Amino acid sequence: MTYYLGIDFGTSGARGVVIDGEEKICWEFQYPFAASGDWVAVWRKALFSILEQIPLEIKEEMRAIALNGTSSTVLLCDRAGNPLDAPILYNDDRAINELETLKKIAPSHPIVLSATSSLAKLFWWYRQPIYSQAVYFLHQADWLAFLLHGQLGISDYHNALKLGYDVEELNYPAWLQKLPISPLLPQVFSPGTPVGTVTPEISFRFGLSKKCCVCTGTTDSIAAFLASGATQPGEAVTSLGSTLVLKLLSSTKIDNAKYGIYSHRLGNLWLVGGASNTGGAVLRHFFSDAELARLSQQIDPQIESPLDYYPLLKKGERFPLNDPELEPRIEPQPDNPVEFLHGLLESLARIETQGYQLLQQFGATPLYRVYTAGGGAKNEIWTALRQRYLNVPVLASSYTEAAYGTALLAARSHDELEKRGRK
Ligand code: ADP
């Protein structure tokens, strides 16, 4: 037997998933953590606890490990890889004042022009006294992988997208290479590239095979996409969580700053994404999860609701409509809660369809099949209703755990390496 491990570091915990050579889950473990003043210690403990929990017979046959972190969660490290400061988390916008400078330096690179981008965070650190001791700037997944393979200054092009790495040319653009922060930029590889075997200390401490390699990682949302089972151009994943997020696999790359659309590279394809402010948070505002399940059963998904809403919790929308002043439209509200929910679900389905239409209008590969993830995925009535609008098969994702997607990354890259080795 051969085994592959994917570890997902999310916002409230870490999860490890081990798959076998047939991509079936054979072990999984969740390690919850609470917000902490010492994230570095928490993450290290979570990683090592997961490795400790895996049964020894699996660890002896472990071939590859990959990790994913939250996008734009970053660390500043010294020569030995020790963090010099607390990590800056994905949603930390302390770098807001760096935007003016960034806009002048990178006007045509909208992806980095956000207070939470990795590059804005690096700029912020550059102005702090601690920067003089810095040798490496790493993403969460890069640093966690370093704890296993011992190599520093290495990242992947999913994590490095918001650092300004050019995923089309596969290099850092000239404007970035000229900046004084450039010596700290990590070397970037494809996600899932084997970097090296686990260090002898890690192998000995946890009983991991000495042959087990550690690969470059990815981000949590791409890992969740990989888990879905979508692999072909035209296949998409809609995430029906608190917000509505669309990701469409396309042969063409689409970037549109106005609508917040950007593309991640996935081998020779592009993962084109857009995120709306509508979604499950509005449903939760009016209904409990139990009510959603019960009331949905009373809706006939083949009958069109006469209600036309634009459900938002506060004004402003980016995708598929770009209007910062757009007011929520949730009127009229019928007395019958089933009719009201029908109107909400149908309006969300309309916005989802509009989103995919916009991506295709900008040149993305036509929609062919939609997988669904997130809390709304279990609602079969909603699925049927969405199918009526989307006009393509709508399925639940095979797996939704990011850790599973990351385990697939480890398994597939390892298989590729073996194949190359045999040639
Ligand atoms: P998050 O984005 O916060 O991780 P989840 O993926 O956990 O969200 O999904 C939570 C959302 O799913 C909630 O906003 C809730 O309204 C919605 N939800 C839960 N159950 C149902 C259901 N049966 N039908 C539709 N939506 C649901």
Side-chain angles (χ1 to χ4, degrees):
M1 267 311 220
T2 49
Y3 297 104
Y4 308 91
L5 169 64
I7 307 182
D8 162 46
F9 275 78
T11 50
S12 57
R15 178 185 286 268
V17 164
V18 175
I19 59 172
D20 61 18
E22 280 159 6
E23 302 185 348
K24 296 226 168 58
I25 295 181
C26 24
W27 181 88
E28 61 187 309
F29 182 73
Q30 168 127 38
Y31 182 96
F33 45 66
S36 163
D38 190 356
W39 277 115
V40 163
V42 169
W43 295 339
R44 188 190 281 117
K45 186 154 182 250
L47 174 63
F48 290 169
S49 302
I50 288 173
L51 292 178
E52 254 157 32
Q53 292 294 326
I54 303 172
L56 201 56
E57 61 276 19
I58 289 185
K59 286 191 277 201
E60 284 168 349
E61 300 299 331
M62 193 72 82
R63 289 291 171 270
I65 302 175
L67 300 117
N68 72 264
T70 47
S71 177
S72 292
T73 293
V74 288
L75 299 101
L76 194 71
C77 298
D78 67 11
R79 188 165 303 284
N82 300 308
L84 290 163
D85 198 356
I88 305 185
L89 300 193
Y90 64 103
N91 58 352
D92 186 322
D93 63 358
R94 73 180 75 177
I96 185 97
N97 293 332
E98 305 304 326
L99 283 184
E100 279 312 305
T101 322
L102 267 172
K103 271 184 203 151
K104 283 185 207 125
I105 297 172
S108 57
H109 215 88
I111 204 106
V112 300
L113 300 182
S114 131
T116 57
S117 76
S118 305
L119 188 60
K121 288 166 180 160
L122 179 52
F123 270 43
W124 183 86
W125 259 325
Y126 178 67
R127 296 185 202 288
Q128 313 307 314
I130 196 77
Y131 187 86
S132 60
Q133 297 171 50
V135 181
Y136 296 105
F137 176 79
L138 297 173
H139 303 92
Q140 183 188 25
D142 312 336
W143 184 75
L144 288 161
F146 149 73
L147 294 184
L148 303 183
H149 58 46
Q151 299 192 42
L152 281 157
I154 292 171
S155 188
D156 63 86
Y157 58 58
H158 291 161
N159 274 296
L161 186 73
K162 291 180 185 166
L163 187 52
Y165 187 77
D166 184 334
V167 288
E168 210 157 8
E169 298 297 327
L170 296 179
N171 59 25
Y172 286 107
W175 60 264
L176 192 45
Q177 290 187 37
K178 277 193 231 136
L179 297 178
I181 47 92
S182 71
L184 266 65
L185 297 174
Q187 207 184 340
V188 177
F189 295 94
S190 304
T193 303
V195 174
T197 51
V198 288
T199 62
E201 296 76 33
I202 291 287
S203 162
F204 179 74
R205 175 168 170 189
F206 298 104
L208 275 163
S209 160
K210 288 193 180 73
K211 286 193 279 184
C212 176
C213 71
V214 184
C215 307
T216 51
T218 181
T219 63
D220 52 351
S221 62
I222 296 190
F225 180 88
L226 296 174
S228 70
T231 54
Q232 301 300 314
E235 289 189 309
V237 175
T238 298
S239 175
L240 300 173
S242 303
T243 57
L244 171 73
V245 182
L246 312 187
K247 287 203 169 71
L248 171 60
L249 205 50
S250 168
S251 311
T252 39
K253 182 175 188 280
I254 316 289
D255 291 296
N256 186 299
K258 184 175 158 201
Y259 290 97
I261 300 168
Y262 63 90
S263 299
H264 269 288
R265 186 175 186 137
L266 222 57
N268 294 325
L269 298 174
W270 298 96
L271 190 52
V272 183
S276 161
N277 293 335
T278 57
V282 186
L283 298 178
R284 187 161 275 173
H285 182 73
F286 293 104
F287 302 102
S288 69
D289 287 3
E291 284 168 335
L292 286 173
R294 183 171 52 81
L295 297 173
S296 297
Q297 288 307 318
Q298 298 170 51
I299 295 172
D300 181 345
Q302 300 315 326
I303 293 177
E304 199 170 322
S305 163
L307 299 164
D308 179 20
Y309 299 145
Y310 205 102
L312 293 169
L313 285 184
K314 54 180 193 211
K315 83 166 183 187
E317 175 65 312
R318 181 114 184 245
F319 171 90
L321 295 179
N322 174 258
D323 182 359
E325 299 303 319
L326 188 74
E327 292 289 344
R329 192 172 72 235
I330 321 183
E331 295 290 336
Q333 286 179 22
D335 294 336
N336 181 339
V338 177
E339 283 173 26
F340 181 40
L341 179 61
H342 191 175
L344 287 170
L345 295 180
E346 184 128 352
S347 300
L348 289 169
R350 212 178 291 122
I351 296 166
E352 178 189 12
T353 307
Q354 221 179 318
Y356 284 120
Q357 279 166 352
L358 188 69
L359 298 180
Q360 290 165 82
Q361 220 171 294
F362 286 137
T365 301
L367 191 66
Y368 161 73
R369 179 183 289 144
V370 176
Y371 293 91
T372 316
K378 55 181 175 284
N379 188 329
E380 285 166 13
I381 300 289
W382 198 6
T383 304
L385 203 153
R386 290 166 53 225
Q387 177 140 351
R388 173 156 59 78
Y389 272 93
L390 289 163
N391 228 355
V392 294
V394 180
L395 320 163
S397 294
S398 327
Y399 295 96
T400 54
E401 293 299 345
Y404 178 78
T406 302
L408 283 181
L409 197 64
R412 290 177 186 166
S413 71
H414 183 266
D415 288 354
E416 188 57 31
L417 194 73
E418 295 250 290
K419 258 189 260 156
R420 266 188 267 152
R422 281 198 295 271
K423 271 188 198 154

